[in-house]
Amino acid sequence: MSTHPASPRTSQERYAAALMNTFGPPQLVLTHGKGAHVWDEDGTEYVDLLGGIAVNALGHGHPAVVEAVTRQLSTLGHVSNFFASEPQIRLAERLLDLIGPPDSEVEEVAPGSGRGRVFFTNSGAEANEAALKLTRRTGRTHVVAAEGSFHGRTMGALSLTAKAAYREPFEPLPGGVTFVPYGDSAALAAAVTGDTAAVVLEPIQGEAGVVVPPDGYLSDARRITREHGALLWLDEVQTGIGRTGEWFAAATDPGVEPDVVTLAKGLGGGIPIGACIGLGAAGSLLQPGHHGTTFGGNPVACAAALAVLDTIEADGLLEHVTDLGSELRSGLSADPRVTAVRGRGLLIGLDLTVDAPAVVTAARSHGFLINATGARTVRLAPPLVVGHDEAEAFRAAWSGILDDAAAA
């Protein structure tokens, strides 16, 4: 006779019994998706306005990604770091082309430094870990980060992440990090010294509630870091690859030429991939033996990323993101319970007079997936392919969603 307890009955119970409880109970068990729509195990359909937290750039089941992954996996699936593959090389070249030339004023620190070099990872946190190690190769250890920042939950990335609830259970973290108010150029100037290896900033803070800095802030950061010989490291993990209507969010601040850019989320369109891009001399700071990854640069993930970039370009999605984002922000802000709207493109934060988690629940009951980044703030980060009809449906349902949340 078996001594094991009876098998759990539902997917939620099976999840709770089999997976570590690092995120709390899942809201839904999803079975499939198409475009900007997903379905749960009960067959209920939702418009996905979160996109796997800005990951599913082309939505679900996009033919270009499916074809690229299928074709690549059927020919060459994994090669290790002892070998290279064509998709890996082509993607690195493509990203360097998109990001532009290096800062001509950065002094070369190693022979052979060119426009830049890419290190591929599996996630944004890993991209930031690589970037943090890269900064140590300057011979300095002090890093300046921003209050409200989120750079990941691995130990190095967590040391740059400001939120106390994420940090405190794992302290002491790697030291040498000074946090300054985000968007405050004077505070940044006061914190950066000749011992500072790098300043790391998100061009728009996503986890903090889609916080956009004042115009000129990133340019000030570039000037300040240059004055002290420090690297400027922009974390575009959430904002990059078209999310804001530009390939990179920092492009809206003219004259900002970072030394390091980290990417992930939308790059693979749902296939795990990240990138640490060192521009100019920063691209040569990591040398053989300094860092590694088993799966980074996997040809299947790189093929998926190339399909994402090709589709964004071919389908004019940057312009679509800009137009639709403007349309959504304007429509949603018309309800007086919206006290502030922030963001660019399809990265949108809404401050509310209504409890944000209750709004998330109410939105789900109306057939829309969004998330809360604070007690009174919700975030939208839909697939870049979300259509005008879906946006209009959400706008039409918005006041009813807020009504239901207020009554909950």
Side-chain angles (χ1 to χ4, degrees), residues 91 95 118-128 237 262-265 267-268 271-277 296-297 301-302:
L91 179 60
L95 290 173
V118 180
F119 178 84
F120 287 116
T121 67
N122 307 291
S123 69
E126 289 178 71
N128 284 332
V237 167
T262 46
L263 296 172
K265 289 192 180 291
L267 178 59
I271 303 299
I273 186 170
C276 169
I277 304 173
C302 291

Side-chain angles (χ1 to χ4, degrees), residues 138 140 192-194 196-197 224-231:
T138 64
R140 304 177 184 182
V192 178
T193 72
T196 302
I224 292 163
T225 50
R226 189 175 289 143
E227 288 172 356
H228 293 278
L231 300 174

